[in-house]
Amino acid sequence: MRIPYIIIIFSLLFFTAYGQPEKEKMRPIDKLYNTIEPSTYKSMPQYFIEANQNGCFYELYVNGRMVFSHFENTNLLGHTTSTNDAILKSGLQNVTVKLYPIGEYNGKNYDTFSKNAEIEIDIKKWDKVLDNKEHTKAYEDYDEHVITFKIPQIEDKNNSIKIKGLPYYEHTFTFHAEVPYTVKGWSESQDLTKMDQDVLEKEILSFYENYADIIHRQDEKSWVELVKNREFEYIKSVAYNDVRENEIQRRIKEFKEFFDSNFKKKEPLDTYEIIFGYNGRLVTLKSIDSKGDSALSYGIESEENGEMVKFRYYSYLYLHKPIGSNTLELIR
C-alpha cells in the first residue's frame, strides 16, 4: 500500500518532536546534572568561614584553593564563605590567610599595615538534616563553633602575631572537619612544581586558550566534557547531590547564560602569576592587573533587574595532573 508523501513527512516530524526520549531533548548542561544520583546521607554538615576585617585586604585559601578574596576599601563584617568545595574528606583541613595593605587610599599610600589592620576568622559548622515529615533537607536552627583565629593575635604572649609595619602577612592554621563523603579532588595528583616550569606554563596557557575558545564559540557540549569531574565533586561536597538546591540552580542558570548570551567577547589574559596550591598539586593563573581575580575573563551579558547587561566575567580555573597522566585537567 502506498502512503502519501505528505503523511510520511508529518510522521517524521511528529516523531522528532514527541517520540524522542526526554533525556535526548535535554541540552548538554541539563544532561550533566540529570546524571547525578541523590545522596542518602542523614547528616550533611557544611563548614563556613566567617570573617571580620578592618584596614587590610585579604584572601582565604582552604587546602590550597582560594575560596574568597576581598580587595575593596570597605570593611566586611560577618562575611560568610562556604568551604565544603575545598574539603575532600574528613580530617585536618588547612586554612591560609593572606593579608595585604590597602595601598592608595584618600590620597595616601599605605604600603604597610597600619595599627588598625586586623582580621578575625571564625570556622563554623552548620548541619543539614532530613525532615522526615516534609521529606526535605533544611538547616538546623543552630550552628557549632569550630575555631577562632585572630590577626594580630596578642592575647597569647607565647604565640603573639603582630603585623603593624609589615608589607604582607600570611598564616596557615588547621581545623578538623567531619564529612560523610570522600572526593578525590587533587589528593592523588602530581607535584607540578617538579615539572619543567616553562613547559608547564605553555600547557597552562594552552588549556586556558582552549577554554576561552569554547566559551566564545558557545560550544556547550565541549565545555561539559571539560568541567564534568569538577561539577560532580562540587555538587557532592556542597549540596550533597541535591541539584534542586537554590545555590545549584543559580549555578546552572549562570552557566547557561554563557552559552545563551547574544553578546560574547574574548578577552586577552591579564598579566598573570602562576599560583600553586596543596603542595604543588593545584595550579592556577592569578591576575596581577585585577587584584584577587583570575587572569582569565570573557565578556557576556546577563539579565539584571529585567535588563540585559554586558559585563566582564572572571573565572578561576584550578588545574591538576592525576598520577599516571601527562595532561592537565580542570578539577575546580
Side-chain angles (χ1 to χ4, degrees):
M1 185 177 81
R2 294 182 178 181
I3 302 175
Y5 185 71
I6 189 171
I7 296 178
I8 295 175
I9 296 295
F10 177 80
S11 299
L12 290 172
L13 291 173
F14 182 86
F15 177 79
T16 300
Y18 300 102
Q20 287 181 313
E22 187 69 25
K23 187 174 180 180
E24 289 186 11
K25 292 191 292 183
M26 292 181 180
R27 58 192 288 179
I29 287 179
D30 291 321
K31 286 183 180 180
L32 171 67
Y33 295 100
N34 191 59
T35 61
I36 297 173
E37 295 293 331
S39 65
T40 57
Y41 303 120
K42 293 182 179 179
S43 175
M44 290 156 281
Q46 304 281 328
Y47 288 87
F48 294 87
I49 296 178
E50 183 178 291
N52 294 284
Q53 153 269 351
N54 180 53
C56 61
F57 297 144
Y58 69 96
E59 296 171 339
L60 297 175
Y61 293 77
V62 176
N63 295 325
R65 178 184 174 266
M66 184 193 293
V67 296
F68 184 73
S69 66
H70 177 63
F71 285 90
E72 296 179 10
N73 279 313
T74 56
N75 296 335
L76 283 184
L77 301 178
H79 182 272
T80 302
T81 302
S82 174
T83 68
N84 273 49
D85 185 33
I87 296 175
L88 307 183
K89 63 179 182 178
S90 296
L92 284 181
Q93 317 297 324
N94 291 317
V95 177
T96 299
V97 184
K98 297 184 179 182
L99 299 183
Y100 304 87
I102 60 175
E104 195 75 27
Y105 182 67
N106 284 343
K108 295 182 179 180
N109 186 37
Y110 299 89
D111 55 1
T112 61
F113 297 115
S114 70
K115 65 178 181 179
N116 297 321
E118 61 182 353
I119 190 168
E120 178 176 306
I121 304 294
D122 283 321
I123 309 292
K124 293 185 176 181
K125 174 186 175 183
W126 296 348
D127 205 355
K128 284 185 175 181
V129 293
L130 186 64
D131 187 327
N132 292 322
K133 293 181 180 180
E134 300 295 332
H135 300 287
T136 59
K137 302 184 184 79
Y139 280 116
E140 293 185 347
D141 57 1
Y142 69 90
D143 58 63
E144 175 185 332
H145 176 75
V146 179
I147 191 173
T148 297
F149 192 85
K150 297 179 181 180
I151 302 173
Q153 189 177 55
I154 56 178
E155 294 86 352
D156 184 351
K157 294 182 179 179
N158 295 323
N159 296 289
S160 62
I161 296 173
K162 299 178 181 179
I163 62 172
K164 180 183 176 183
L166 297 179
Y168 171 77
Y169 186 79
E170 176 180 324
H171 187 82
T172 298
F173 63 96
T174 62
F175 74 95
H176 186 84
E178 284 289 342
V179 293
Y181 64 82
T182 298
V183 293
K184 185 181 293 184
W186 46 96
S187 62
E188 298 179 12
S189 305
Q190 301 174 42
D191 183 352
L192 299 175
T193 63
K194 295 180 179 179
M195 278 187 62
D196 181 305
Q197 295 303 288
D198 290 335
V199 172
L200 176 63
E201 183 173 6
K202 290 178 181 178
E203 291 182 7
I204 296 170
L205 293 176
S206 176
F207 191 102
Y208 272 58
E209 180 69 16
N210 180 51
Y211 188 93
D213 281 341
I214 286 173
I215 295 293
H216 191 252
R217 296 196 313 267
Q218 295 181 315
D219 185 351
E220 187 174 323
K221 185 176 180 181
S222 295
W223 179 85
V224 164
E225 284 301 307
L226 278 183
V227 306
K228 62 183 180 181
N229 288 338
R230 178 192 73 182
E231 291 305 295
F232 289 155
E233 292 198 351
Y234 180 90
I235 293 176
K236 185 174 185 178
S237 59
V238 172
Y240 289 92
N241 284 355
D242 188 353
V243 296
R244 301 167 302 173
E245 282 207 358
N246 290 336
E247 179 179 347
I248 304 304
Q249 288 300 309
R250 285 194 298 269
R251 185 178 179 88
I252 294 171
K253 180 178 181 292
E254 184 177 86
F255 289 153
K256 285 182 176 180
E257 287 177 345
F258 299 165
F259 303 99
D260 296 339
S261 175
N262 291 322
F263 168 75
K264 53 184 180 179
K265 183 180 180 183
K266 186 177 177 183
E267 298 282 357
L269 277 179
D270 285 8
T271 306
Y272 62 83
E273 58 179 322
I274 299 176
I275 302 295
F276 293 97
Y278 203 75
N279 299 320
R281 287 164 174 76
L282 278 179
V283 68
T284 190
L285 298 185
K286 181 182 176 184
S287 174
I288 294 175
D289 305 325
S290 181
K291 293 181 178 179
D293 287 323
S294 167
L296 175 68
S297 65
Y298 35 87
I300 62 171
E301 69 178 350
S302 176
E303 184 179 346
E304 290 186 10
N305 299 321
E307 296 183 2
M308 298 306 294
V309 179
K310 298 176 182 178
F311 68 99
R312 191 170 179 178
Y313 186 92
Y314 286 86
S315 180
Y316 267 107
L317 303 180
Y318 284 89
L319 310 180
H320 77 137
K321 281 189 178 183
I323 292 176
S325 171
N326 196 35
T327 303
L328 285 172
E329 297 178 10
L330 181 65
I331 193 61
R332 287 295 184 274

